[in-house]
Amino acid sequence: QVQLVESGGGLVQPGGSLRLSCAASGSIFSIAFMGWYRQAPGKSREVVARISSGGSTKYADSIKTRFTISRDNEKNMVYLQMNILNPEDTAVYYCYVEARSMGWTRYRSYWGQGTQVTVSA
């Protein structure tokens, strides 16, 4: 099994920045994709950004120029640097990985517990 632990959420003023971190641990053979999703009150969960094992990234159109996703393959960690935050970014942010566990022959999805990001004056 694989476990994800997120950190870095909190309260920030409009225009401010936050850096989210997610650490994957457990019986990991390899990790393909890692990413971040978010869910605002009354909204559906949406993808924010994702990154492949080779470093290829994709972003939601609304945040591509403000957020930066990165990963550390040695540490099995993924990060999300969020800049120029606005109240519309307020949501619970979830870490996501597609990982292959030791003894298994296919990848499966894992989710973190979520971390709250609130943008308000």
Side-chain angles (χ1 to χ4, degrees):
Q1 60 181 357
V2 177
Q3 298 83 39
L4 304 179
V5 179
E6 300 143 312
S7 62
L11 176 65
V12 65
Q13 295 183 5
S17 299
L18 284 174
R19 184 173 185 261
L20 305 183
S21 300
C22 176
S25 62
S27 301
I28 301 173
F29 178 78
S30 64
I31 298 177
F33 293 96
M34 308 183 79
W36 293 91
Y37 289 70
R38 69 184 182 186
Q39 186 168 19
K43 302 291 185 179
S44 300
R45 185 176 298 185
E46 63 177 354
V47 62
V48 177
R50 65 194 293 266
I51 184 169
S52 71
S53 60
S56 179
T57 59
K58 293 184 178 180
Y59 299 89
D61 291 341
S62 63
I63 55 86
K64 185 174 181 178
T65 60
R66 298 186 295 120
F67 294 3
T68 302
I69 188 171
S70 60
R71 65 186 287 174
D72 186 326
N73 291 331
E74 180 180 344
K75 297 180 179 180
N76 290 329
M77 296 191 68
V78 62
Y79 309 90
L80 185 68
Q81 179 66 48
M82 305 187 295
N83 300 318
I84 319 176
L85 288 162
N86 60 69
E88 295 180 344
D89 296 316
T90 297
V92 177
Y93 285 71
Y94 297 90
C95 180
Y96 162 86
V97 304
E98 292 184 4
R100 180 181 175 183
S101 297
M102 296 289 188
W104 294 85
T105 59
R106 63 171 293 167
Y107 290 86
R108 61 155 291 176
S109 300
Y110 298 88
W111 294 89
Q113 79 285 354
T115 183
Q116 178 70 50
V117 172
T118 302
V119 185
S120 176

